Amino acid sequence: MSFSSKVKGELSLHLGNGRHCEIAETAAIVNICGQTAVFNEKFCLKIQTENFVVAKKFFTLLKNTFNIIADISVRSSGRKQIYTVLVRNFSQAETVLKATGLLFHADGKKQLIKRIYSPVVSSICCRRAYIRGAFISVGSVNDPEKNYHMEFVLSDRSLAEQLRDLINSFGLDAKVVERKEHYVVYLKEGEQIVDLLNIMEAP
């Protein structure tokens, strides 16, 4: 098992400091891995991931935070396993999207936008939870015995920049670089990586 996998496994067991933190962690996973389908302004919600830890964490957050029992399935794609967690019920999906700040009303219509919604991360503990959810979803960190590097690989520039700013709200100096149609939020300094691991509560 890689060092990153061990860190993600440890982080996935963290229960947060209350429902508000669980909503923030859910928001990170939905922002980064979530997909929605719309039928007559009604939504279903799913995440797809190759990482079982992400699927299990999302399933657990839905159950504990929203009392939603999602459908979970797995299929093979070559040598990879693809895990899908699906919320079919329209009202349940809408509840999650509203709570995480991704669904809002404008001009009398429901609109979806992937963003870090400031009320969801208004407290320090919720900012920690959001970063933790982001790392579980798309983060990696090198074994410190080899070299220092931590990164989050996102497909959306705006989300990457928002995540960078959230990390830097703790006094760190994360940066964003574009790499092959993705946007990478990264830290290279050993002390700052240790600080961020502690911020995510993976001491």
Side-chain angles (χ1 to χ4, degrees):
M1 182 183 291
S2 70
F3 185 74
S4 275
S5 296
K6 290 178 182 178
V7 173
K8 288 185 180 186
E10 180 176 332
L11 288 173
S12 71
L13 299 176
H14 196 284
L15 299 177
N17 298 309
R19 188 172 188 271
H20 46 94
C21 290
E22 292 174 342
I23 289 173
E25 195 165 356
T26 303
I29 297 173
V30 173
N31 257 334
I32 293 167
C33 303
Q35 301 173 34
T36 56
V38 184
F39 305 98
N40 297 321
E41 292 194 7
K42 294 183 177 180
F43 303 89
C44 64
L45 170 66
K46 73 176 180 180
I47 68 159
Q48 284 190 319
T49 176
E50 296 173 16
N51 191 332
F52 175 71
V53 169
V54 180
K56 182 180 179 183
K57 182 63 176 181
F58 187 56
F59 180 90
T60 303
L61 285 167
L62 290 173
K63 182 180 177 182
N64 292 350
T65 313
F66 299 98
N67 197 28
I68 293 171
I69 305 299
D71 297 333
I72 187 166
S73 60
V74 58
R75 64 179 174 84
S76 296
S77 176
R79 295 182 178 180
K80 299 176 180 178
Q81 299 282 83
I82 307 296
Y83 301 93
T84 300
V85 183
L86 174 65
V87 181
R88 295 180 185 274
N89 182 279
F90 292 139
S91 65
Q92 290 181 337
E94 190 168 311
T95 295
V96 175
L97 292 167
K98 282 181 177 178
T100 52
L102 308 182
L103 175 65
F104 64 102
H105 288 82
D107 299 325
K109 294 183 178 180
K110 296 174 183 176
Q111 295 189 23
L112 277 169
I113 182 170
K114 290 193 173 186
R115 59 180 176 172
I116 299 180
Y117 185 48
S118 55
V120 169
V121 292
S122 59
S123 63
I124 291 174
C125 60
C126 292
R127 295 204 300 272
R128 291 173 182 265
Y130 188 97
I131 296 168
R132 183 166 59 246
F135 185 84
I136 291 170
S137 298
V138 290
S140 65
V141 60
N142 288 356
D143 187 331
E145 293 183 0
K146 297 177 181 177
N147 67 320
Y148 297 117
H149 186 80
M150 175 184 277
E151 66 180 31
F152 304 73
V153 181
L154 295 95
S155 58
D156 183 280
R157 178 191 289 273
S158 177
L159 275 178
E161 291 173 345
Q162 290 175 56
L163 178 60
R164 174 203 61 198
D165 294 345
L166 196 67
I167 291 170
N168 290 346
S169 72
F170 288 93
L172 302 181
D173 188 28
K175 293 180 171 58
V176 177
V177 65
E178 187 173 353
R179 183 201 298 161
K180 294 181 180 179
E181 299 180 359
H182 287 84
Y183 302 92
V184 182
V185 183
Y186 69 93
L187 289 166
K188 282 186 172 293
E189 194 174 309
E191 186 176 336
Q192 294 211 4
I193 291 170
V194 171
D195 287 344
L196 187 53
L197 287 169
N198 282 317
I199 286 164
M200 294 188 294
E201 300 179 84

